[in-house]
Amino acid sequence: MGAALSLLDIGLTSHLQRQIWQGSPINDPDSNIISSGFRTLDLALPGAGWMPGTVTELLIEESGVGEIRLLAHMLRELTVGKDRSVIFIAPPWKPNLAAFRAMKIAVDKLVWVKAPEDQVLWAAEQSLKQEGIGAVLIWLPQVRPEALRRLQVAAQEARSLAFLFRPLKAARQSSAAPLRMVCKPILPASAPTMNRREWMQAVMLEIDIIKRRGPLLGKPLQLSLPLQMPALPEHIRRAHQARKAREVKHVVDSGDIAAFIARSSQAALDALGIGEFDLAWSDIDVE
């Protein structure tokens, strides 16, 4: 019999070459892969980071367990390092510009799309087709298997990242997403005696990778996701350590509230003065 013909010896187009995978089942080098910012998580992810052209399902108990802080390094790298846009489709909360700035994410590269549930996946597919898109974040409680397959094809063709947030019960359902992760908060033992700020500083995130290319994860990972605080005025941050020395049984001191409102109002006026809200966030409701 003749020698086997290597696929790499024939003239494949770049599009077809992207469909071929060779080598290690876990850590293939790829210059487009973006680190998660957590070494232990990178070691568990195929390619040692978030891989473009892949839908990642994040299965969470409820919104706010730390899923955005988990993706903060990726969001910063895309919007600042690579000058690419990130689209948020149907998030269950109003995006907080101050929080994104605190994480050093370029807010002018973030786009918030409000869409009814029956149009979320269509909006996601259309977003992935646009030039300059680095990632699309999608919140959708229910999705049909065939729709999820279309989303994976769209992400693969666009070579962009796609993150799909779904409830924990979806873990029992089949999925075309190549990467699926169950994310649960780990409460500190002293949680009942903590105020909310202390609680969010101490809470950790348990990540169980239930589907990935290669063998399953031996045991869940535990990541620390400290809360960013630069949204508060500087003198408030300097006083934070002093306040920790005394027992605080409320969420925010009244002085913090006044200072925060004053700073937020001025920031809003400054933003309007430079036309910032005329960009990606022009559809934000004014309360």
Side-chain angles (χ1 to χ4, degrees), residues 54-57 148-149 152 164 175-180 211:
T54 297
V55 172
T56 297
E57 273 192 72
L148 191 48
R149 284 193 292 271
Q152 170 56 30
L164 179 61
S175 171
L179 181 61
R180 307 186 77 198
K211 181 182 178 182

Side-chain angles (χ1 to χ4, degrees), residues 27-42:
N27 291 320
D28 285 343
D30 186 329
S31 60
N32 293 319
I33 289 176
I34 298 179
S35 170
S36 68
F38 302 93
R39 175 174 169 76
T40 55
L41 179 55
D42 281 350

Side-chain angles (χ1 to χ4, degrees), residues 26-164:
I26 295 296
N27 291 320
D28 285 343
D30 186 329
S31 60
N32 293 319
I33 289 176
I34 298 179
S35 170
S36 68
F38 302 93
R39 175 174 169 76
T40 55
L41 179 55
D42 281 350
L43 291 174
L45 293 175
W50 303 120
M51 185 176 295
T54 297
V55 172
T56 297
E57 273 192 72
L58 296 177
L59 308 171
I60 58 178
E61 289 183 330
E62 59 180 303
S63 182
V65 297
E67 64 273 19
I68 297 301
R69 281 179 284 161
L70 175 66
L71 302 179
H73 184 274
M74 176 272 298
L75 295 172
R76 183 165 55 250
E77 178 63 21
L78 284 177
T79 61
V80 178
K82 297 182 178 294
D83 195 34
R84 298 179 71 83
S85 296
V86 175
I87 300 182
F88 292 68
I89 299 180
W93 33 259
K94 181 182 295 186
N96 187 320
L97 291 180
F100 286 122
R101 288 196 184 96
M103 292 184 281
K104 303 187 185 305
I105 295 166
V107 296
D108 62 319
K109 290 294 182 179
L110 305 181
V111 180
W112 174 26
V113 176
K114 294 185 286 186
E117 187 171 323
D118 61 348
Q119 296 181 17
V120 167
L121 283 176
W122 177 86
E125 291 177 21
Q126 297 305 309
S127 298
L128 287 167
K129 294 177 181 179
Q130 307 306 310
E131 292 292 333
I133 302 301
V136 177
L137 279 60
I138 311 139
W139 283 260
L140 189 61
Q142 299 181 5
V143 57
R144 298 188 306 275
E146 60 272 19
L148 191 48
R149 284 193 292 271
R150 288 201 310 270
L151 182 64
Q152 170 56 30
V153 170
Q156 187 170 345
E157 291 180 347
R159 299 299 295 164
S160 296
L161 292 164
F163 294 89
L164 179 61

Side-chain angles (χ1 to χ4, degrees), residues 23 84 98 129 158 171 202 237 254 287:
R84 298 179 71 83
K129 294 177 181 179
R237 295 201 301 273
S254 59
E287 295 183 351

